[in-house]
């Protein structure tokens, strides 16, 4: 027995951390795709975009910010924080040349990027409250197009690699079976987001707003 | 088959002579028909360098002693044919395990320690009756146990695992697979909560981040993804029930 390790050991808490990672990841995944569908309503026209959805954003935004905080902490708890661990991980990944192993690095880097980009994104939307088609159009045309494209790509890759990881760790299905479907869904969501951004970009604005 | 001249780049280090630092050493050898790494290494030792250390016992993918990094990936040297590799072959010992010398590592101590820690044997109050009939088990259960039992403890899944490489006390796929075997076995009367104390932890199944190198590289092709997920679900249920 080693005193400090035995005292600090708590199987129950360690299991709950993992369940929290699962729950927060799934919640954010659900949010991300739901959010994307909502925003893509601009494809149908501003009337669909501008309906009253305030209750949704007023409860949604604090919840998502909270979830990102919780998820960020629990999902990052196993990252190779120590310099030596990071070197071991990188050397191991290079030797092994194994896609799933590299995907973890992708997950950590995209996680960090989402944290930064989403913070800017939420701030820029709150700064110019409330959400309206004209304002969003002005934002996309005013230089946010490539920023939002980057956020879309990074968030979708992170979320779908995360979903893959969850299915691998928890599900009954062989990964060789479900991987293609995850790749198709990722292409679908990125495509939908891209079209949405294009629609915003090419919409004409009332004079004086552009 | 065209004769190839193979170049072996082999890790050399002997803990008994620490003044000579770890290094890679090149050997050349003419390929022969059906040559396995077992044959190649033995010829190098016989013809070129008698001090080269490596392990083999069965030469038939049964004993699990010849696991090593073949071009960076864990595999059994006796099961690997040179014809499936390029002309340049890099051989290194398995990581995580203690180095005996050159390509030889001590997997025994590691496996023995975990066998004890996870109490990898049937726990039952029933007294064995040597004269009685053997208890029957239904076929699907027996098959599932047998699937897990095919593990030869070569350590390839451990060497392939990023978590095991980074964190010394992680029990790895070999033991999670072993645990699955006892969770399936109806003769083991241990409640899942008992196993949870050792396995429902970050050194156990919740330390696994699901990178699946174990599943991809297991020389026995044990379906480790399924075995690990099974243990994970069982352990999560214990945590959720609070007992
Ligand atoms: C839109 C926002 C996000 C979504 C949809 C999302 C989704 C997911 C999902 C589904 C997983 C898999 C969870 C698991 O394996 O149990 C995951 C893992 C991960 N996430 Fe996120 N996440 C988001 C934001 C973030 C942020 C902001 C960070 C960093 C601060 C982050 C860092 C990570 C890391 C490091 C992992 C890997 C954990 C592991 O494999 O152990 N994520 N994410
Ligand atoms: S020598 Fe026994 S497994 Fe290779």
């Amino acid at each position: 027995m080693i005193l400090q390790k035995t005292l600090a050991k708590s199987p129950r808490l360690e299991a709950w951390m993992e369940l929290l990672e699962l729950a927060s990841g799934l919640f954010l995944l659900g949010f991300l795709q739901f959010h994307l569908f909502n925003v893509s309503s601009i494809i149908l026209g501003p009337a669909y975009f501008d309906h009253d959805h305030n209750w949704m954003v007023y409860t949604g935004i604090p919840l998502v910010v909270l979830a990102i905080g919780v998820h960020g902490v629990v999902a990052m708890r196993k990252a190779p924080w120590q310099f030596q661990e990071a070197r071991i991980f990188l050397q191991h990944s290079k030797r092994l040349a194994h896609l799933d192993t590299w995907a973890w690095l992708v997950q950590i880097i995209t996680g960090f990027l989402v944290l930064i980009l989403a913070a800017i994104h939420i701030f820029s939307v709150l700064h110019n409250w409330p959400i309206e088609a004209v304002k969003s159009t002005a934002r996309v045309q005013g230089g946010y197009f490539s920023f939002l494209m980057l956020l879309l790509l990074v968030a979708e890759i992170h979320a779908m690699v995360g979903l893959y990881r969850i299915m691998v760790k928890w599900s009954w299905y062989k990964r060789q079976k479900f991987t293609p479907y995850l790749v198709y869904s990722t292409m679908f969501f990125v495509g939908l987001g891209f079209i949405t951004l294009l629609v915003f970009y090419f919409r004409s604005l009332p004079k004086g707003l552009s | 088959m065209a004769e190839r001249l193979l170049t072996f780049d082999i890790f050399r280090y002997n803990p008994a002579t620490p003044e000579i630092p770890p290094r890679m050493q090149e050997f050349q050898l003419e390929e022969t028909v059906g040559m396995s790494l077992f044959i190649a290494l033995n010829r190098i030792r016989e013809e070129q360098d008698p001090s080269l250390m490596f392990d083999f016992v069965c030469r038939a993918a049964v004993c699990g002693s010849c696991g090593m990094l073949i071009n960076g990936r864990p595999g059994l040297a006796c099961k690997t044919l040179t014809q499936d590799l390029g002309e340049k072959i890099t051989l290194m010992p398995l990581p995580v395990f203690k180095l005996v010398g050159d390509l030889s590592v001590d997997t025994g101590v590691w496996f023995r320690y975990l066998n004890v820690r996870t109490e990898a044997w049937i726990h039952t109050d029933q007294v064995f009756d040597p004269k009685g009939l053997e208890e029957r088990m239904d076929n699907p259960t027996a098959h599932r146990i047998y699937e897990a039992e095919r593990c030869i403890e070569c350590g390839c899944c451990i060497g392939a695992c990023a978590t095991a490489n980074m964190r010394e006390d992680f029990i790895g796929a070999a033991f999670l697979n072993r645990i699955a075997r006892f969770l399936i076995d109806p003769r083991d009367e241990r409640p899942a909560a008992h196993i949870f104390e050792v396995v429902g932890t970050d050194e156990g199944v919740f330390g696994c981040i699901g990178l699946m190198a174990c599943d991809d590289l297991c020389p026995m092709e044990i379906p480790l993804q399924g075995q690990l997920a099974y243990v994970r679900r069982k352990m999560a249920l214990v945590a959720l029930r609070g007992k």
Side-chain angles (χ1 to χ4, degrees):
Chain A
M1 186 195 117
I2 298 165
L3 182 75
Q4 83 281 11
K5 288 209 173 186
T6 311
L7 291 180
K9 193 85 227 146
S10 170
R12 204 133 284 135
L13 285 180
E14 284 160 29
W16 274 104
M17 284 292 221
E18 185 71 15
L19 288 169
L20 210 53
E21 180 179 337
L22 173 68
S24 62
L26 282 179
F27 172 79
L28 285 171
L29 177 85
F31 152 74
L32 184 70
Q33 314 306 30
F34 178 72
H35 170 58
L36 187 56
F37 275 123
N38 276 281
V39 177
S40 70
S41 63
I42 194 70
I43 299 173
L44 301 177
Y48 289 88
F49 188 86
D50 275 337
H51 67 261
D52 178 30
H53 51 238
N54 275 338
W55 63 270
M56 211 161 75
V57 281
Y58 280 121
T59 48
I61 292 180
L63 261 182
V64 167
V65 171
L66 181 72
I68 287 184
V70 170
H71 175 79
V73 172
V74 291
M76 282 289 190
R77 79 193 189 284
K78 288 183 208 147
W81 290 108
Q82 291 181 15
F83 186 62
Q84 206 184 42
E85 277 180 345
R87 292 226 332 148
I88 290 177
F89 178 68
L90 287 176
Q91 291 177 353
H92 172 77
S93 306
K94 273 191 213 151
R95 268 198 309 267
L96 210 58
H98 178 247
L99 191 62
D100 281 38
T101 300
W102 279 117
W104 193 45
L105 188 64
V106 170
Q107 199 68 349
I108 293 170
I109 292 173
T110 52
F112 264 122
L113 284 175
V114 171
L115 189 64
I116 298 164
L117 300 179
I120 298 173
H121 173 58
I122 294 173
F123 183 78
S124 80
V125 170
L126 290 181
H127 194 65
N128 202 357
W129 199 247
I131 299 169
E132 284 165 11
V134 248
K135 286 184 185 167
S136 300
T137 309
R139 230 186 336 262
V140 172
Q141 295 182 4
Y144 266 90
F145 182 89
S146 35
F147 170 86
L148 289 170
M149 192 61 215
L150 182 67
L151 176 56
L152 168 73
L153 263 180
V154 170
E156 282 296 341
I157 289 174
H158 182 88
M160 296 310 269
V161 173
L163 181 59
Y164 171 78
R165 206 38 72 57
I166 285 175
M167 308 260 297
V168 161
K169 289 197 295 189
W170 295 95
S171 86
W172 287 258
Y173 308 105
K174 277 205 168 80
R175 63 210 160 98
Q176 289 79 0
K177 287 229 175 84
F178 58 71
T179 306
Y181 298 106
L182 290 181
V183 172
Y184 302 145
S185 330
T186 311
M187 294 194 309
F188 167 77
F189 285 117
V190 171
L192 181 66
F194 182 56
I195 292 170
T196 304
L197 279 174
L198 282 182
V199 170
F200 272 121
Y201 194 74
F202 289 111
R203 255 163 56 82
S204 52
L205 272 178
K207 281 206 171 53
L209 267 173
S210 50
Chain B
M1 196 171 84
E3 293 277 303
R4 292 197 302 175
L5 185 65
L6 301 176
T7 305
F8 289 87
D9 210 7
I10 298 179
F11 177 89
R12 301 301 306 270
Y13 180 69
N14 186 346
T17 53
E19 63 280 6
I20 308 173
R23 66 205 178 280
M24 298 299 289
Q25 188 179 353
E26 260 191 28
F27 297 92
Q28 294 201 317
L29 195 65
E30 276 188 16
E31 191 175 31
T32 51
V33 178
M35 181 185 250
S36 67
L37 289 178
F38 164 73
I39 296 173
L41 282 168
N42 273 293
R43 273 193 48 197
I44 292 174
R45 182 162 62 186
E46 265 163 39
E47 298 164 14
Q48 303 185 30
D49 189 341
S51 73
L52 183 62
M53 286 185 270
F54 52 85
D55 292 321
F56 287 91
V57 180
C58 72
R59 322 169 318 284
V62 175
C63 74
S65 47
C66 66
M68 58 181 70
L69 293 184
I70 304 161
N71 290 336
R73 291 184 155 205
L76 295 181
C78 70
K79 199 188 171 190
T80 305
L81 299 180
T82 54
Q83 69 192 33
D84 298 329
L85 305 170
E87 272 169 30
K88 195 166 156 77
I89 299 166
T90 308
L91 299 178
M92 291 175 93
L94 279 183
V96 184
F97 302 103
K98 192 165 163 236
L99 188 76
V100 174
D102 300 337
L103 299 175
S104 167
V105 293
D106 182 353
T107 50
V109 168
W110 195 92
F111 275 93
R112 159 96 194 141
Y113 168 69
L114 274 179
N115 265 319
V116 173
R117 214 178 110 198
T118 58
E119 303 188 4
W121 53 84
I122 298 274
H123 291 53
T124 179
D125 289 334
Q126 288 189 21
V127 184
F128 179 61
D129 174 8
K131 294 210 180 94
L133 274 180
E134 198 179 351
E135 248 183 77
R136 280 170 183 263
M137 182 185 286
D138 64 274
N139 230 5
T141 309
H143 272 295
R144 284 179 69 205
I145 294 176
Y146 182 66
E147 191 79 325
E149 282 277 331
R150 296 195 349 255
C151 172
I152 58 172
E153 301 193 350
C154 60
C156 286
C157 59
I158 308 301
C161 173
T163 305
N165 271 261
M166 288 188 293
R167 309 206 165 127
E168 269 172 32
D169 38 17
F170 180 54
I171 73 176
F175 268 88
L176 293 169
N177 176 61
R178 177 73 46 88
I179 297 294
R181 180 237 174 283
F182 287 103
L183 283 170
I184 295 165
D185 198 323
R187 291 166 300 184
D188 194 345
E189 291 165 359
R190 253 185 299 188
H194 181 131
I195 293 176
F196 180 75
E197 293 302 318
V198 179
V199 181
T201 61
D202 282 349
E203 287 85 57
V205 72
F206 298 127
C208 162
I209 43 184
L211 303 184
M212 290 295 114
C214 56
D215 187 61
D216 281 328
L217 296 172
C218 172
M220 305 316 288
E221 296 177 18
I222 297 173
L224 291 169
Q225 184 207 330
Q227 301 289 74
L228 266 57
Y230 170 73
V231 176
R232 182 181 289 269
R233 290 191 300 264
K234 280 266 179 189
M235 292 300 110
L237 268 181
V238 175
L240 284 171
R241 289 206 190 103
K243 194 62 228 139

